[in-house]
Amino acid sequence: MFPFISESKYMDSLQDINPIERMLVDKATATRTPIQASFELTPLCNLHCDMCYVRMGKKEMEAAGGLLPLQEWLRFADQLKEMGTLFILLTGGEPLLYPDFKELYSRLKEKGFILTINTNATLIDDETARLFQASKPRRVNVSLYGASNETYQSLCHVAHGFDRCMEGLKRLKENGIDTKLNLTLTRHNVREHKQMLGIADEWGMPALTNGYISVYARPECVTTMPLETVRPEPHEVAQAEIEALKHKYGKEYAAYAINALRQLEQKESPVPNGIGLTCHAGKSALWINWRGTITPCVDMEVPAVSLLSATVGEAWQQIVTECGRLLSHGECAGCTLRPICDVCYANACNEKKRCGSIGYLCRIAQAKKEQMKGSLQ
């Protein structure tokens, strides 16, 4: 049985989990144990991507209170360990810009956590690669923003960004670090999608295509271009995701597409009451931002609890309680396109808040259906 087309995008930061890990996550979800935590170490980044939701300048960051010290993150980690947390994602901004990244990484490994890192790979130097080789992370997720220096210049506003990313990938590969490419698509690079998939093949690395760019952005976020001019058109998102499926399933793609379309023909909708919070957020996963505030996930502003005035355990219980009270998005009630739709609770909230409706997501789903039909002819 093939999975739903959108399934891999809503496994929080713990993607491609094996059966044992899935069993642990499912049990944690049932008992509301935060088995998975994300540490957003910094809003700083050496790239300046047009669609970034979190990036701040150093002056703005310092004016907002500055970064949490190493000991604070270790304190959070000790409390999480007592609560049953096993997996931690280190992210940002660019997490390698956190001043004490290497010590934090080593200390978390000593405490027994299984670590994953999100990075743009341009700062992976020999010292960092040796650190990962000596004490390996579960995986390094590398955001790939294009297939040329020109695209990195236009989208990320840095010189030689593509070359620097490839140098980072080379170091990770040479040191035997499990690495996955996250292909973030925008209007700048969507036409390079097949080339980006080719880069994944060239390096022998798995790839995850994300054609949906969230409208969520922190109020203090520094952006260089209105998001509406960055997001691909719905038909472009659909085309890219069909390309990704063909790349993933190869000769089995036709069977996958037939199965997916068959699910769409069911008379009963898989979401008769609308879209609720169905992922692991607020159930077995949490996000701690660079200011020390817990939210269910990166895309949700609320519920939120500051760890400057509460323990992780107290904050988690409040998050779980408030997540249980969230109302479903009734706009999705009765929709039969759910198996191929990118909608999630947080995306729907943010689309409605900024765009007035979830129409963009609906148009992507409809385009996927039509293009999937066409791909079988």
Side-chain angles (χ1 to χ4, degrees), residues 72 75-76 79 288 292-294 305-313 315:
E72 280 292 272
R75 182 172 68 87
F76 299 158
Q79 294 177 31
I288 305 179
T293 298
I294 285 188
V305 182
S306 173
L307 295 179
L308 303 182
S309 58
T311 67
V312 178

Side-chain angles (χ1 to χ4, degrees), residues 69-132:
L70 170 68
Q71 291 303 319
E72 280 292 272
W73 287 110
L74 293 175
R75 182 172 68 87
F76 299 158
D78 286 337
Q79 294 177 31
L80 285 165
K81 185 174 181 179
E82 292 181 3
M83 296 165 64
T85 301
L86 180 59
F87 304 98
I88 293 181
L89 169 72
L90 300 179
T91 186
E94 172 51 54
L96 296 182
L97 287 176
Y98 182 70
D100 296 309
F101 175 84
K102 293 181 176 64
E103 183 174 356
L104 176 62
Y105 178 88
S106 298
R107 295 283 294 276
L108 292 176
K109 288 287 288 186
E110 290 171 1
K111 293 177 183 294
F113 291 105
I114 299 173
L115 303 181
T116 300
I117 298 95
N118 281 356
T119 178
N120 61 45
T122 63
L123 299 179
I124 300 287
D125 55 17
D126 290 333
E127 182 182 357
T128 303
R130 286 194 295 268
L131 170 68
F132 292 161

Side-chain angles (χ1 to χ4, degrees), residues 101-308:
F101 175 84
K102 293 181 176 64
E103 183 174 356
L104 176 62
Y105 178 88
S106 298
R107 295 283 294 276
L108 292 176
K109 288 287 288 186
E110 290 171 1
K111 293 177 183 294
F113 291 105
I114 299 173
L115 303 181
T116 300
I117 298 95
N118 281 356
T119 178
N120 61 45
T122 63
L123 299 179
I124 300 287
D125 55 17
D126 290 333
E127 182 182 357
T128 303
R130 286 194 295 268
L131 170 68
F132 292 161
Q133 197 281 330
S135 183
K136 289 187 176 180
R138 180 185 187 275
R139 172 169 278 178
V140 174
N141 296 321
V142 173
S143 296
L144 183 63
Y145 295 113
S148 66
N149 283 321
E150 291 73 19
T151 298
Y152 268 74
Q153 181 69 60
S154 64
L155 176 63
C156 308
H157 305 284
V158 294
H160 308 293
F162 176 74
D163 288 343
R164 290 157 60 190
C165 179
M166 294 302 103
E167 291 170 4
L169 290 181
K170 181 180 179 181
R171 291 187 175 96
L172 292 171
K173 183 76 172 180
E174 289 176 343
N175 285 275
I177 309 304
D178 187 344
T179 304
K180 178 170 70 69
L181 301 183
N182 287 333
L183 315 184
T184 301
L185 301 186
T186 72
R187 291 192 188 184
H188 294 269
N189 63 19
V190 67
R191 291 173 181 80
E192 293 183 347
H193 180 238
K194 287 186 177 180
Q195 293 172 262
M196 295 162 75
L197 290 172
I199 291 170
D201 289 339
E202 178 183 347
W203 289 102
M205 297 174 179
L208 176 67
T209 294
N210 184 14
Y212 170 72
I213 299 295
S214 172
V215 296
Y216 175 71
R218 307 277 173 79
E220 68 276 10
C221 173
V222 177
T223 56
T224 56
M225 187 178 296
L227 186 58
E228 291 79 0
T229 66
V230 177
R231 296 211 292 186
E233 294 294 332
H235 73 274
E236 294 177 313
V237 176
Q239 180 179 344
E241 297 205 4
I242 297 298
E243 289 173 351
L245 288 167
K246 290 180 177 179
H247 179 264
K248 176 179 179 178
Y249 289 110
K251 294 180 179 180
E252 295 185 0
Y253 167 75
Y256 173 90
I258 290 171
N259 177 71
L261 291 169
R262 189 171 294 150
Q263 292 181 49
L264 302 185
E265 294 172 356
Q266 301 297 318
K267 293 182 180 180
E268 294 185 7
S269 168
V271 285
N273 300 315
I275 295 294
L277 189 61
T278 58
C279 65
H280 298 126
K283 299 173 184 174
S284 59
L286 59 84
W287 188 277
I288 305 179
N289 70 22
W290 67 276
R291 289 179 167 179
T293 298
I294 285 188
T295 58
C297 78
V298 61
D299 284 325
M300 295 179 68
E301 287 185 335
V302 292
V305 182
S306 173
L307 295 179
L308 303 182

